[in-house]
Amino acid sequence: MRKRDGKKNVKIRAPRKAEEPFSREENVETATLTEEEVKEIIEKQENDQNQIDEAEQTVAKQKSKKKKIWNLIFFLINIAVVVGILVYQLLTQEVMPLSTLFNSGFNFWFLVLTLFIFALTMFTETFRTSILINHTSGKWRPFLSYKVSAVGRYYDVITPLATGGEPFQILYLKNRGLSVSSAISVPMGRYVLCQLASILMSTIVLILAATTDIVGGVNVISVAFYIGYAINTAICLVTIFLSISKKVGAKLVAWALKFLKKIKIVKNYDKQYNKVLKVVSDYQNTMQEFAKSKWKFVLLALISIIQYILQYAIPFGIVCLFLGWRPDLFLQVFIMGVMIEMAASFIPIPGGSGVSELSFTALFASLFTEGTLFWALILWRFMSYYIYIIQGIVIIMYDYFIGNKKYSWLKRKWELEAESAEFREQKLRNYQRSKNKLI
């Protein structure tokens, strides 16, 4: 092949897998590329495949018998903490009987409001996922967006430090027909947007908590909140810095991991080094994609902030359920909700079991009097933890009995449509050749 200015005419074909023969995203393109660009494309394809393999291994571990036993143990710990709080309140203060509670002005319309806020939270998350899927694949798939959001949440709440959702989402999207690169970029885009929204809102809460007496000054919960905020902000800022400066970032990562290996925290240096750089590379690719469509990024960021506000408005609905309509308490309840979440974020226990319940009891004790605190805790924990587990199990069961079969039929339909289109094109070409011969 003759070279011109160090460039080659190269055909780049994304690898086609048996489970996604119908994908319209993987087109053959002919472009004039340098050897360096060809190398980068090949490396990206290899990295994407490695990430899919890692996601498959992570999901397989999550479904293993040992992991299920640990999940059950953590679930029982969560229940044990709730029972312990009930026993403590029975011994130290009165817990209002349910019959008395229902006859004491308990307004069920605020329970409907709380469930409606939860539904809006899932709607905004689904809408954001749907936009990301459309951005990467060119298709609108709202039901898939809901399922991947719901089951991602399920795996987040049952894994330590909420690390299980992203690998599952990658594998789920890939098995539902998205290309490898799209399956990776959608959860990464969600992660970036959630991190940015969380840091922004937590910073506002930090300022309000430090400059007002809303949470009653410095206490154990506020200290845990500051630690969680510092850790999450540091991770976000370091990732952004490493993404901006690849050469300096790689050197800093190497230095930090060598130091951690020296003090026996990191065991496999090469594995951790490649893992960190891969996360940074995915983060950088995601930000580059957002940069191509700034208005779409602004829309997604706005949706993420709204979703964040709705998520922490749920405790306000619970407060109104017991105390009546109290808009003057919204800011206080919102701040306390964010503080509880951030305080439990660095605890390596699924769902922050134990820490979340104790934090809620400590912060909300002044609002719920006359024996209603325990019932408020039960309802809040259901809306912030158990409802995601129930929702995830329902989706998993739906896929097992209906969804997987329905998708197989849909995939076959797309394959037949693609074959029909190709057959029509071939017939038209044959007709054109025959016509040209006659002329």
Side-chain angles (χ1 to χ4, degrees):
M1 182 180 291
R2 182 179 296 175
K3 295 184 180 180
R4 291 185 180 178
D5 301 326
K7 297 187 178 182
K8 296 179 179 180
N9 286 330
V10 182
K11 282 189 176 182
I12 305 299
R13 183 188 295 271
R16 188 180 296 278
K17 293 187 176 295
E19 60 267 29
E20 43 182 348
F22 56 89
S23 178
R24 300 174 185 173
E25 304 167 72
E26 300 173 349
N27 299 321
V28 177
E29 297 180 358
T30 302
T32 303
L33 301 173
T34 63
E35 292 185 8
E36 185 77 20
E37 289 170 334
V38 174
K39 186 178 178 182
E40 286 181 4
I41 291 173
I42 293 172
E43 284 180 356
K44 185 178 184 305
Q45 290 178 344
E46 290 176 350
N47 288 336
D48 286 349
Q49 190 56 50
N50 289 338
Q51 195 156 342
I52 289 291
D53 294 339
E54 286 183 9
E56 289 176 345
Q57 292 172 10
T58 302
V59 172
K61 287 180 182 178
Q62 188 61 42
K63 292 180 178 179
S64 67
K65 185 177 179 181
K66 182 180 178 181
K67 200 69 177 179
K68 288 178 180 178
I69 292 173
W70 276 109
N71 288 337
L72 177 62
I73 290 172
F74 286 126
F75 183 76
L76 294 175
I77 289 173
N78 190 280
I79 294 175
V81 170
V82 173
V83 172
I85 292 173
L86 173 61
V87 172
Y88 174 78
Q89 291 192 9
L90 286 172
L91 293 174
T92 58
Q93 52 186 295
E94 184 181 357
V95 174
M96 184 180 291
L98 281 175
S99 57
T100 307
L101 181 66
F102 293 148
N103 295 322
S104 63
F106 191 79
N107 195 330
F108 282 99
W109 283 111
F110 286 113
L111 180 59
V112 174
L113 174 64
T114 304
L115 291 171
F116 179 68
I117 294 172
F118 168 78
L120 285 178
T121 302
M122 286 307 305
F123 173 78
T124 52
E125 185 158 352
T126 299
F127 186 40
R128 179 180 62 199
T129 304
S130 188
I131 293 174
L132 289 169
I133 289 176
N134 176 262
H135 179 72
T136 57
S137 69
K139 301 173 185 175
W140 289 104
R141 300 179 66 178
F143 190 44
L144 173 64
S145 301
Y146 167 68
K147 289 198 295 180
V148 78
S149 299
V151 187
R153 281 275 192 166
Y154 165 78
Y155 278 98
D156 274 343
V157 299
I158 66 170
T159 52
L161 303 174
T163 56
E166 188 178 325
F168 176 84
Q169 288 177 323
I170 291 173
L171 195 58
Y172 194 86
L173 289 168
K174 181 236 178 191
N175 290 338
R176 283 298 186 269
L178 268 70
S179 66
V180 172
S181 59
S182 295
I184 292 171
S185 63
V186 170
M188 179 54 68
R190 170 185 176 269
Y191 170 77
V192 171
L193 290 163
C194 287
Q195 281 290 96
L196 295 176
S198 175
I199 296 303
L200 174 63
M201 299 306 295
S202 297
T203 301
I204 295 172
V205 167
L206 176 70
I207 295 170
L208 291 172
T211 57
T212 63
D213 196 35
I214 289 179
V215 294
V218 178
N219 51 49
V220 175
I221 309 302
S222 61
V223 171
F225 164 71
Y226 296 142
I227 295 172
Y229 172 81
I231 292 173
N232 283 279
T233 304
I235 291 172
C236 185
L237 293 178
V238 167
T239 306
I240 292 173
F241 173 76
L242 295 178
S243 301
I244 294 172
S245 179
K246 272 192 172 181
K247 291 183 180 179
V248 177
K251 290 179 181 178
L252 285 175
V253 169
W255 177 84
L257 289 176
K258 285 177 181 177
F259 173 74
L260 292 174
K261 184 181 180 182
K262 204 173 204 179
I263 60 176
K264 307 298 182 182
I265 294 179
V266 170
K267 295 180 180 179
N268 191 327
Y269 168 81
D270 292 331
K271 182 180 178 181
Q272 292 301 322
Y273 179 80
N274 292 329
K275 189 175 181 179
V276 172
L277 289 188
K278 190 180 296 180
V279 171
V280 171
S281 177
D282 290 340
Y283 194 97
Q284 187 179 50
N285 292 334
T286 301
M287 295 307 293
Q288 287 174 349
E289 282 297 315
F290 284 145
K292 294 176 184 177
S293 182
K294 293 182 176 62
W295 286 111
K296 187 171 286 186
F297 173 72
V298 171
L299 173 63
L300 288 167
L302 184 61
I303 291 172
S304 299
I305 292 171
I306 292 172
Q307 188 260 339
Y308 195 90
I309 293 171
L310 287 170
Q311 181 177 334
Y312 294 105
I314 289 175
F316 175 71
I318 296 172
V319 168
C320 292
L321 184 65
F322 291 92
L323 304 182
W325 179 243
R326 293 290 303 276
D328 57 303
L329 293 177
F330 179 81
L331 183 60
Q332 179 182 355
V333 172
F334 180 84
I335 289 174
M336 291 193 295
V338 174
M339 291 183 70
I340 292 171
E341 186 76 17
M342 193 61 74
S345 65
F346 65 96
I347 305 298
I349 300 176
S353 298
V355 177
S356 296
E357 289 84 355
L358 294 173
S359 299
F360 182 90
T361 303
L363 289 179
F364 283 87
S366 60
L367 294 179
F368 296 102
T369 56
E370 300 177 355
T372 59
L373 176 60
F374 175 75
W375 302 117
L377 168 64
I378 292 293
L379 187 55
W380 169 78
R381 199 54 177 147
F382 176 81
M383 295 302 301
S384 64
Y385 180 69
Y386 296 109
I387 196 168
Y388 292 112
I389 294 177
I390 294 170
Q391 180 182 233
I393 291 174
V394 169
I395 295 296
I396 291 170
M397 291 178 65
Y398 168 82
D399 274 349
Y400 182 78
F401 290 106
I402 301 173
N404 292 337
K405 294 177 183 178
K406 187 176 179 181
Y407 174 71
S408 297
W409 299 334
L410 187 61
K411 183 169 71 170
R412 182 58 183 156
K413 176 188 172 185
W414 287 337
E415 288 173 349
L416 291 172
E417 286 175 351
E419 289 173 6
S420 298
E422 187 176 347
F423 179 75
R424 285 197 300 270
E425 287 292 326
Q426 186 63 40
K427 283 289 186 182
L428 285 172
R429 284 194 294 269
N430 291 340
Y431 170 75
Q432 191 64 41
R433 288 195 199 100
S434 302
K435 185 178 178 182
N436 291 338
K437 286 179 181 179
L438 290 174
I439 294 173

